[in-house]
Amino acid sequence: MTYSGEVTVGGPADVHELKDLMITKVAVGPMNNNAYLLRCRATDEQLLIDAANDAHTLLGTIGDDGIASVVTTHRHGDHWQALAEVVAATGARTYAGRYDAEGIPVPTDVPVGDGDTIRVGDVELTARHLVGHTAGSIVLVYDDPHGHPHVFTGDCLFPGGVGNTFEDPEAFASLIHDVETKVFDALPDETWVYPGHGGDTSLGAERPHLPEWHARGW
């Protein structure tokens, strides 16, 4: 089956099979949050991005092999509702952006800064710190050596625009600056974007619209 990234709460997961990494996307909770399970194909180690909600569904997706780590993209409550239960069940290490960790009620084992790396088996992810949606939001970049990059953007970038900056012009200016310089300027059009809610996109699909995002201010 071809991966589409289209998932619904209560529906099946969608699996993106890369040469070194399997990415399983599932939608959970009343805010239609996406959670992503990454599995290194060489070692079978697993990492979860955003234990957002519905621990039963997430633990069923994780399966008997468990997870080594769970990354929370930012401090907003809809992205960590199941974190305590998932960590209790798996013993996973917790990662979160250094400046958002205090707002997450499960202790962060590894505070993450801009440019830090997080490993899942033999696969390396690079964190980028983007300020605006929250003070400590992080996105994770997987630069696939066999293809194009993949970026997990939390609530910083979606199809059609950057994340919510709550009508704060300074926060919007910060977020769009960071998204442009650390994501669009650093990665090619082929980069696949996995957001915290809704369907996937690519940088190439979104790049032509950057001027209109600037103009509208959100």
Side-chain angles (χ1 to χ4, degrees):
M1 294 290 290
T2 301
Y3 174 80
S4 70
E6 297 297 327
V7 293
T8 57
V9 176
D14 200 4
V15 181
H16 203 170
E17 297 195 27
L18 309 179
K19 185 169 183 180
D20 295 338
L21 186 69
M22 290 183 63
I23 302 167
T24 300
K25 177 180 182 178
V26 62
V28 292
M31 296 185 71
N32 191 35
N33 285 74
N34 296 324
Y36 298 94
L37 181 68
L38 278 54
R39 185 182 186 100
C40 171
R41 300 184 75 140
T43 68
D44 288 331
E45 185 173 295
Q46 297 191 120
L47 173 151
L48 181 68
I49 299 173
D50 283 345
N53 207 301
D54 190 355
H56 177 76
T57 291
L58 295 181
L59 291 170
T61 303
I62 290 165
D64 294 338
D65 289 341
I67 51 173
S69 48
V70 55
V71 180
T72 303
T73 58
H74 64 288
R75 68 192 297 166
H76 287 157
D78 59 306
H79 289 259
W80 49 253
Q81 291 297 309
L83 182 59
E85 192 171 343
V86 167
V87 169
T90 63
R93 291 185 306 275
T94 55
Y95 294 78
R98 185 178 311 279
Y99 301 105
D100 268 11
E102 67 178 16
I104 300 168
V106 177
T108 296
D109 296 323
V110 185
V112 178
D114 190 58
D116 287 352
T117 57
I118 300 171
R119 298 191 68 85
V120 50
D122 293 343
V123 170
E124 186 173 276
L125 309 169
T126 302
R128 301 312 309 262
H129 174 212
L130 308 184
V131 180
H133 182 67
T134 65
S137 291
I138 55 172
V139 305
L140 299 177
V141 179
Y142 169 51
D143 192 358
D144 186 355
H146 309 289
H148 53 73
H150 300 255
V151 57
F152 301 87
T153 57
D155 284 0
C156 286
L157 177 64
F158 295 97
V162 297
N164 192 348
T165 51
F166 312 100
E167 299 183 358
D168 180 338
E170 289 186 8
F172 171 75
S174 175
L175 181 56
I176 198 161
H177 172 270
D178 284 359
V179 164
E180 283 190 296
T181 59
K182 296 182 180 182
V183 179
F184 281 96
D185 290 352
L187 299 169
D189 283 352
E190 296 77 16
T191 302
W192 197 291
V193 176
Y194 305 82
H197 305 262
D200 298 355
T201 187
S202 69
L203 292 188
E206 305 305 322
R207 195 185 302 273
H209 302 289
L210 282 166
E212 70 187 70
W213 301 354
H214 274 279
R216 75 190 185 193
W218 57 272

